[in-house]
Amino acid sequence: MHTPPRVLTVAGSDSGGGAGIQADLKTMLALGTHGMSVVTAVTAQNSLGVQGAWELPAEAVRAQFRSVVDDIGVDAVKTGMLSSAVLVETVAELLAGVRAPVVVDPVGVSKHGDALLAPTALDAVRGALLATATVATPNLDEVAQLTGVRVEEEADMRRAAAAILEFGPRWALIKGGHLAAGHAEGAVDLLTDGTEEHWLRGPRHDNRHTHGTGCTLASALAARLAKGDTVPQAAAAAKEYVTGALAAGFRLGAGIGPVDHGWRRRGTP
Ligand SMILES: Nc1ncnc2c1ncn2[C@@H]1O[C@H](COP(=O)(O)OP(=O)(O)OP(=O)(O)O)[C@@H](O)[C@H]1O
Ligand SMILES: Cc1ncc(COP(=O)(O)O)c(N)n1
């Protein structure tokens, strides 16, 4: 009997289904793995923004994590919205006991600018969470928030990665999706462990249906790591998956629509 690789997301729920836990589980299924979840917070969210957010108690996060890890086991873990300093510290402590690869997406704010992490949690992200990561996947706003490095040109991404690596992840994947057109060739991300450097380049799709890109990239990366890829192989596959999902992104609600996690089944548009 075939048992698919087991991948766990520790993240917030997005009621609109485009980001957070919902994006993670869809991505994990699309990439042939068994997705599992530890919910950290519940958001009331749609294509227009985040209308409310409620954090779970640390005890509930710990209990979900133990239920999954102690019985089922994990081949990779991904973290997303962690909401507060208490939950960042709790999750960092839980991850320290895990041997599987860990992808940390240090989610700070939503696409609409709604805060998904308390400013008081930044120290715990720097001091405890990032060191548990096999790969950390900050976007440019998160890089600025965590390190003070401002990326305006592609070449600045090297300094951003070096500053993130100081906090202890084995690899940094700096996402350049927010680089202004004209300052990058396509949509470019930089993956490096401080020695090797891999530029991940894809075509830019400006169809505005980009809700969930960061969650999707990090989950695809975790899924491929669970399947046994090396970090550079997993990152290349994740970039290809998110690029296809973005190209197929669709209108939903009155605002920013989601990427299409099922694009491979439906065929490329
Ligand atoms: N318009 C775009 N066209 C093609 N690829 C994109 C575009 N925007 C982002 N990407 C890619 O999507 C992935 C996520 O990048 P991004 O910088 O948007 O992350 P994020 O900010 O965490 O996501 P979000 O903006 O959803 O919070 C990266 O691989 C990035 O290069
Ligand atoms: C619960 C939750 N987690 C994460 C994000 C960030 O999403 P994106 O992938 O668009 O950055 C979000 N909007 N909501």
Side-chain angles (χ1 to χ4, degrees):
M1 194 172 36
H2 167 69
T3 305
R6 304 152 298 178
V7 190
L8 173 64
T9 171
V10 181
S13 163
D14 168 6
S15 53
I21 291 275
Q22 288 78 358
D24 298 344
L25 293 176
K26 291 175 197 180
T27 300
M28 290 166 190
L29 177 66
L31 294 188
T33 61
H34 173 67
M36 302 173 288
S37 59
V38 168
V39 180
T40 56
V42 173
T43 70
Q45 188 172 173
N46 56 24
S47 71
L48 298 172
V50 177
Q51 290 82 40
W54 297 267
E55 184 182 318
L56 265 72
E59 184 193 351
V61 169
R62 217 177 273 121
Q64 293 174 80
F65 190 91
R66 290 265 65 91
S67 293
V68 171
V69 172
D70 295 349
D71 172 46
I72 300 171
V74 291
D75 298 305
V77 184
K78 176 251 163 178
T79 71
M81 174 187 181
L82 297 182
S83 187
S84 69
V86 171
L87 290 192
V88 172
E89 282 158 13
T90 302
V91 171
E93 192 187 305
L94 291 166
L95 290 175
V98 164
R99 298 178 70 87
V102 174
V103 178
V104 170
D105 184 13
V107 172
V109 292
S110 81
K111 221 131 263 130
H112 296 91
D114 308 290
L116 299 174
L117 182 74
T120 49
L122 287 173
D123 278 345
V125 173
R126 295 186 192 98
L129 184 67
L130 286 172
T132 67
T134 311
V135 193
T137 64
N139 65 25
L140 300 185
D141 298 321
E142 290 148 3
V143 164
Q145 223 180 11
L146 290 165
T147 70
V149 173
R150 301 206 166 270
V151 175
E152 267 144 32
E153 304 287 339
E154 250 184 63
D156 301 335
M157 289 167 78
R158 285 202 176 96
R159 275 190 305 121
I164 289 289
L165 288 172
E166 290 279 310
F167 297 120
R170 290 237 309 278
W171 293 81
L173 198 172
I174 308 297
K175 296 177 292 191
H178 298 191
L179 263 182
H183 293 265
E185 199 187 305
V188 64
D189 308 332
L190 170 62
L191 172 74
T192 176
D193 63 353
T195 308
E196 288 177 40
E197 196 176 271
H198 304 266
W199 291 90
L200 308 171
R201 220 171 270 285
R204 180 166 279 280
H205 296 287
D206 284 319
N207 61 15
R208 97 190 194 110
H209 301 308
T210 56
H211 182 55
T213 50
C215 304
T216 300
L217 180 76
S219 294
L221 185 52
R224 294 295 301 227
L225 290 173
K227 291 175 107 172
D229 277 2
T230 63
V231 170
Q233 284 168 341
K239 174 73 173 172
E240 193 192 327
Y241 176 71
V242 79
T243 303
L246 244 148
F250 50 89
R251 188 187 301 275
L252 205 68
I256 300 175
V259 303
D260 184 0
H261 295 98
W263 68 276
R264 277 189 175 135
R265 283 193 174 192
R266 283 189 261 276
T268 314

